Amino acid sequence: MTRTSLPFGSWPSPISAADLSASGHPVEAGRFVGDEIWWSELRPTENGRTAVCRYRGDVVETLLTTPSNARSRVHEYGGGAWTATPDGRIVFAEFSDQRVYVTSPGRTPVPLTPKPESASSVRFGELSIVGDDVLAVREIHDGSEVARDICVIALDGSGVRSLVSGSQFLAYPRLSPDGSKLAWIAWDHPQMPWDGTELRVADLAGGTWKTVLGGTEESVLQPEWIDDESLYVISDRTGWWNIYRAGVDGTVSPLHAAEADFGAPLWQLGARWYSVLDDGKLLTVRTFGVDTLGVLDPSSGVLEDVDLGGLTSVSLGGRKGSTVLLKAGGAQSPSGLRLLDLATGQLTDIRSGLEAVPDADYLPQGKPMTFHGAEREVHAIAYAPRNPEYQGLDGELPPYVAFVHGGPTAHVAPALNPVFAYFTSRGIGVVDVNYGGSSGYGREYRNRLRGQWGIVDVEDTVAAVQGLANAGLADPARLAIEGGSAGGWTVLAALTSSDVFACGASYYGVAELELFVAETHDFESRYIDGLIGPLPEALDLYRTRAPVNNVDGLSCPVLLLQGLSDPIVPPSQAERFRDAMVRKGIPHAYLAYEGESHGFRKLETQVNARESELSFYGQVLGFTPPGIPKLELWTP
């Protein structure tokens, strides 16, 4: 087939912004309820709510119907917002009021937790059923004060009872087999859970507890009881999150030493990286660049990989016998819920995160690449422009957009990402960067960003795009940068401290630090201690690193996109940067969305944001994307 030559960026594409959102329903939390498989999914077409679903024949049945929304606000990022009883009742944290409710399919939800007083709010996450109770992490807001504990909620509605507290943050409540002990993970400010946590065990009858392992320089995750005196637990004491056997008496021994991470940063409650099988072996997920599923024999330490084909991102769901539910995706397979039979190796698709997948000819081929900056290697995945009907003009190199993930501890692997295809099918390349500070490469790689936020992340992203340009793959004059949250900070820091990028788009990005640490939520209020330094000692660094204070170094247009109900990066962050650009006369656009929080969930918001971003790139980088409404830029 002869392809038509058109300027990069102006290729017609069958992938629309509406297609991205209307067909997308990210799937999470697969579990077995009796013989059925239940899961939750985000519904952009229903105001971004989270529904609970199952199949009835070949039809998806919505069990938790509108307007119910199973979404926890513990730590603002939530996690473990719903569970199910063996007899098929749904127990969930309702987003609108954060109370815990119980319901059965077709019935009206009934609250299990009391309505908080007007001056306070109470939130619940990491819900699990233990007999006639719900075990949960509870977060209590009383004015500016925040406290957390582990509690039990009676399924009969008779009340809530606290079990343990004693730290500012708690996760992974686990009752011992005989019910006499409770294990959990604890940490305090200024630690984040990937910096340092403790495994604690309480004697419930005596009311006493002790720390079994962990501390301020060891991140401990996911305890699971083996018997009443010992547990499996993940620790990064060697620089890699590996799995250990830990005794209540403090003895610790590794199961399998590996230079790979059997764990990841705990942004959401309830994340799991291993599951104990019926024969006592462990089903594990480990990461070095990409995810690998394996079965670990704790008695011998032997780890045998499970072939998942081209799936490169894997997380564990529920299990029944030899079958396990996985949320998984790859460079050519959309993320979704899959059923793996460990006995036969058969992998069955249950529910894709996409209703419709773009034609394979329009999907880019993710290519892992390692770039060399001034001092270190940088890992990234490059997605070149790809469209079966069009090619660039002779002698023309394509524009590229560097995608900068949030966290900044997140991790990216080759993925079938329709957003990437939205750009690459129009002739715009994408490079997804695992800059220093990213997870998936051990603690040393994560720690590269300690005290260096706004420096290492910028240098590594610049190294990736310059590497593409030096290799003759990207037009060095048409490089853009895009990121959200912490990635938005990197966007603004890169644009104000270098002249490599022609423009950038910041989704709810951090722009300054002094007011940010005062205005953001409790979970991240001391995060900057590790990324920049503690106050007041690091006050000068806070001011010199903040992009809003460096707008004098900005000479290119910027697109700011912000949810007006964002408690993590408040709108004031984007508005201060906008005001600074007005004062300097920098062309820009500021798009503020009512009812959106940290991450856009509504269909109309997602469509407007993505089309606006594409129009913005076209105006700055010199192409006209067909059929895209023109974004009006502020100009002096």
Side-chain angles (χ1 to χ4, degrees), residues 224-225 232 272 274-278 280-283 319:
E224 305 289 356
W225 289 97
Y232 295 123
R272 297 193 303 155
Y274 69 92
S275 176
V276 183
L277 302 174
D278 290 345
K281 294 181 180 179
L282 307 184
L283 182 66
R319 183 184 63 83

Side-chain angles (χ1 to χ4, degrees), residues 369-374 397-398 400 459 461-479 500:
M369 301 183 73
T370 300
F371 300 97
H372 297 272
L397 290 173
Y400 259 78
E459 291 175 350
T461 306
V462 167
V465 296
Q466 288 184 329
L468 289 169
N470 293 338
L473 300 174
D475 184 343
R478 295 195 293 168
L479 301 172
V500 172

Side-chain angles (χ1 to χ4, degrees), residues 98-117:
Q98 288 299 290
R99 298 171 72 187
V100 174
Y101 289 76
V102 64
T103 188
S104 297
R107 294 182 178 270
T108 300
V110 175
L112 294 178
T113 58
K115 185 177 181 179
E117 296 180 8

